[in-house]
Amino acid sequence: PLSGIPDNIRGQFNRVWMADLYGTYYPLQLAVTNRGYTATAFGTEIAIAYRWLLTHPSGELFLNKYTIDGSAIVNFLSGTSFYTNTLTIGYANSATWLKNNGYDVVAAGLVWIQGESDYTDTWNTYYTKLNSLFTSMTSDGFISSRTRIVLSGISTHSTLWGAGVDSAFQIYAS
């Protein structure tokens, strides 16, 4: 997955930071500060960081990554342990770290990659959960109505691909 990324930024990405679970930022470094990454899987932040570096000759990018491997969307919703203990506390700690280090907190984008555990959902069932999640995240101040949201699901070649999840993504994006 790293083909095409120059050797000089493969080890550590200059000007791109990744928060740990406690909200402290460290330089994005492959397989070190990007939780959930392996050489053959889940490392979307690498592509985001690389593209951002190509298109932004100056400035810094701060990333937060919250994951529950293979989990259903209901485990991310407001009121769950993940939302209350991981997302809420992680976001607050990150915001504090950024402010204490002289940065403004702006959620410019959110990437949502999920759906393998919900592949049997109808579009309406999944859409309702997705809308609930993003509505809560907006009302709780994690994102704003101007935050760009990228929705990505499972490949159509996977046995875990679901037409309902895919349709819900398309309807939400329209």
Side-chain angles (χ1 to χ4, degrees), residues 6-54:
D7 289 335
N8 65 328
I9 62 171
R10 282 189 186 188
Q12 180 171 305
F13 286 70
N14 185 26
R15 302 185 295 116
V16 180
W17 303 79
M18 176 68 79
D20 65 13
L21 291 174
Y22 308 103
T24 300
Y25 287 90
Y26 298 94
L28 176 58
Q29 192 170 355
L30 296 177
V32 176
T33 59
N34 61 323
R35 293 174 314 284
Y37 170 82
T38 65
T40 59
F42 202 53
T44 305
E45 65 278 5
I46 303 305
I48 292 168
Y50 180 56
R51 179 70 178 157
W52 186 86
L53 286 168
L54 290 176

Side-chain angles (χ1 to χ4, degrees), residues 104-162:
D104 292 327
V105 179
V106 178
L110 176 123
V111 178
W112 179 255
I113 304 171
Q114 196 271 337
E116 69 273 18
S117 295
D118 300 292
Y119 73 97
T120 60
D121 280 3
T122 65
W123 75 266
N124 190 43
T125 299
Y126 192 84
Y127 177 87
T128 300
K129 296 172 196 172
L130 188 69
N131 190 55
S132 174
L133 174 66
F134 294 147
T135 298
S136 296
M137 290 180 80
T138 302
S139 65
D140 291 338
F142 302 131
I143 59 175
S144 76
S145 59
R146 298 183 316 177
T147 301
R148 293 179 185 104
I149 298 175
V150 175
L151 303 169
S152 179
I154 305 307
S155 167
T156 56
H157 301 292
S158 170
T159 58
L160 298 179
W161 176 82

Side-chain angles (χ1 to χ4, degrees), residues 47-67:
I48 292 168
Y50 180 56
R51 179 70 178 157
W52 186 86
L53 286 168
L54 290 176
T55 58
H56 294 79
S58 62
E60 294 175 281
L61 176 64
F62 294 87
L63 302 170
N64 291 57
K65 180 177 181 179
Y66 301 102
T67 64

